[in-house]
Amino acid sequence: MDEQEIKLPKGIFILSLDMELAWGTRGEKKLMGHYAKERQIIDSLLFLFEKYRIKATWAMVGHLFLDNCRPINGVNHPEIVRPNYKWLKGDWFDIDPASNIEKTPEWYGKDIVYKILNCRVAQEIGCHTFSHIIVGEPGCAADAFDSELKVCRNLAWQQGVGLKSFVFPKNMIGHLKTLKENNFLCFRGVNKNWYKYFPEKLKMIAHAIDNYFILPASAVSPIKEKGIWNLAGSYFYVHKSGWARFLPVSFRVAKSKAGIKKAVQQCKVFHLWFHPFNLASSPEELLAGLEKIFAYVNSWRQKGMLDNFTMGETAEYLNSQI
Ligand SMILES: [Zn+2]
Ligand SMILES: [Zn+2]
């Protein structure tokens, strides 16, 4: 059977974070200020996770396991097979400062790995490729993806971490077979929403409408695709910039609560996600909103009607049920 769906005994709350610093935008200048604030935001998040006993999956760009790197025979990371995108000029790693964490902290994150591993509520470290290659885009061959995954797995092992969960850069899914061959158990699929199949431009408008009208976020069922669990996203906790500048934080909270309630009632998963730097657009307000969501999760958890698992734990549980 190619696709398999499992009925859960109760709802699950999953939180996944795309941890990429400057790699996600290849160092977009206007966001550098947000990346500079990211470590402080991570501290605040970990504080909230301890306070509310929340486990999250941190999907890390593998380069962030490093605190320095330098070219070998003039080439940055020669062990990585380069993607070949139409829009790419020069070498994929031209953006890599090939320096160290003190000089260019936006490109290295070994300290962040330690912070996460030292959280008193056990967190999961997952994978978001080594250098934020867009796996699902034409030009990314399976061997390029495979070489990135292998380097990530080795770097994670050096920290005692076994990678189980994967988040695709830009949520562009591809090469599931390669992911499975590299022993991953699950990935976060594209948010299940009513505008999922709209063209890109309309999707942005629909995304704004969806948020301003507080349509409830969806609860999702895990689906096994090609031997690996798709734990689709339910809701992207929206930043407070651009079109979302005027979107009150209470709307994000209401939307999340409605999705959590659905997960409880339908025994499904509510999968919340964002990038820690998204909170840099208005840290205090957005963190306060998250705190309300976590308190709500706990109110259901105390009643025994909701669990909070990492992506990896969810996949392991599902595998034990087959
Ligand atoms: Zn490097
Ligand atoms: Zn990303």
Side-chain angles (χ1 to χ4, degrees):
M1 201 190 327
D2 204 34
E3 281 196 2
Q4 217 169 348
E5 199 176 319
I6 281 208
K7 193 93 192 87
L8 298 168
K10 62 169 116 164
I12 298 177
F13 171 68
I14 296 179
L15 174 59
S16 60
L17 305 166
D18 300 13
M19 189 62 245
E20 54 195 43
L21 291 175
W23 286 94
T25 59
R26 296 179 65 74
E28 193 172 312
K29 285 209 172 61
K30 66 174 195 229
L31 285 171
M32 282 312 214
H34 284 187
Y35 303 140
K37 290 186 200 157
E38 197 158 348
R39 282 174 167 81
Q40 214 180 331
I41 284 163
I42 291 164
D43 289 342
S44 305
L45 279 172
L46 289 168
F47 172 80
L48 287 185
F49 293 167
E50 289 188 350
K51 184 172 172 189
Y52 292 93
R53 294 180 297 111
I54 298 291
K55 298 177 197 175
T57 295
W58 299 73
M60 302 270 302
V61 159
H63 198 276
L64 301 184
F65 280 100
L66 304 173
D67 57 5
N68 73 84
C69 65
R70 61 184 150 185
I72 299 169
N73 297 327
V75 182
N76 292 328
H77 307 288
E79 70 281 27
I80 301 282
V81 178
R82 273 41 175 176
N84 187 18
Y85 303 121
K86 267 199 198 128
W87 49 267
L88 179 67
K89 292 187 185 82
D91 181 61
W92 176 251
F93 281 99
D94 283 350
I95 52 159
D96 188 335
S99 159
N100 62 49
I101 198 164
E102 284 80 28
K103 284 190 196 141
T104 50
E106 301 84 1
W107 301 91
Y108 300 91
K110 204 170 189 175
D111 59 323
I112 296 173
V113 174
Y114 291 148
K115 280 177 201 275
I116 297 168
L117 292 177
N118 285 327
C119 183
R120 281 184 288 152
V121 176
Q123 305 291 306
E124 177 187 25
I125 292 188
C127 184
H128 196 41
T129 72
F130 177 73
S131 62
H132 214 271
I133 51 169
I134 315 303
V135 182
E137 198 175 295
C140 181
D143 60 344
F145 186 34
D146 184 68
S147 70
E148 293 237 336
L149 292 178
K150 290 209 159 47
V151 171
C152 290
R153 191 165 284 291
N154 280 337
L155 288 168
W157 261 126
Q158 289 167 29
Q159 302 302 332
V161 173
L163 298 173
K164 297 170 189 161
S165 308
F166 187 82
V167 170
F168 284 94
K170 298 197 177 177
N171 288 316
M172 288 182 74
I173 316 288
H175 301 301
L176 284 180
K177 194 168 160 263
T178 309
L179 197 58
K180 163 93 176 124
E181 282 164 2
N182 278 277
N183 297 319
F184 282 84
L185 304 181
C186 58
F187 66 97
R188 187 183 70 213
V190 180
N191 277 19
K192 198 180 154 232
N193 49 37
W194 53 273
Y195 52 92
K196 185 176 165 183
Y197 299 109
F198 279 28
E200 232 20 72
K201 273 189 185 151
L202 271 180
K203 214 186 259 181
M204 281 171 68
I205 298 165
H207 181 50
I209 292 170
D210 185 74
N211 274 282
Y212 275 100
F213 287 89
I214 331 183
L215 302 170
S218 49
V220 293
S221 291
I223 294 173
K224 201 165 200 180
E225 287 177 28
K226 300 188 178 160
I228 189 159
W229 289 102
N230 175 359
L231 306 172
S234 297
Y235 179 53
F236 167 61
Y237 189 71
V238 189
H239 49 75
K240 220 167 185 316
S241 44
W243 65 267
R245 242 174 49 231
F246 306 107
L247 183 73
V249 170
S250 60
F251 283 31
R252 295 167 180 76
V253 175
K255 202 169 167 66
S256 302
K257 281 186 175 177
I260 292 166
K261 198 168 181 184
K262 264 202 230 169
V264 169
Q265 288 167 341
Q266 301 170 8
C267 295
K268 287 188 178 177
V269 175
F270 178 73
H271 189 164
L272 183 68
W273 69 277
F274 57 92
H275 310 81
F277 80 81
N278 293 140
L279 306 187
S281 48
S282 184
E284 276 178 30
E285 268 185 291
L286 290 168
L287 283 161
L290 281 176
E291 195 160 358
K292 288 195 178 117
I293 296 171
F294 298 159
Y296 189 71
V297 166
N298 277 349
S299 70
W300 287 110
R301 191 151 53 161
Q302 275 150 17
K303 288 183 200 141
M305 295 171 79
L306 182 72
D307 279 322
N308 160 226
F309 291 151
T310 62
M311 287 174 66
E313 285 173 336
T314 307
E316 276 169 346
Y317 167 77
L318 293 166
N319 282 338
S320 75
Q321 298 303 301
I322 297 178

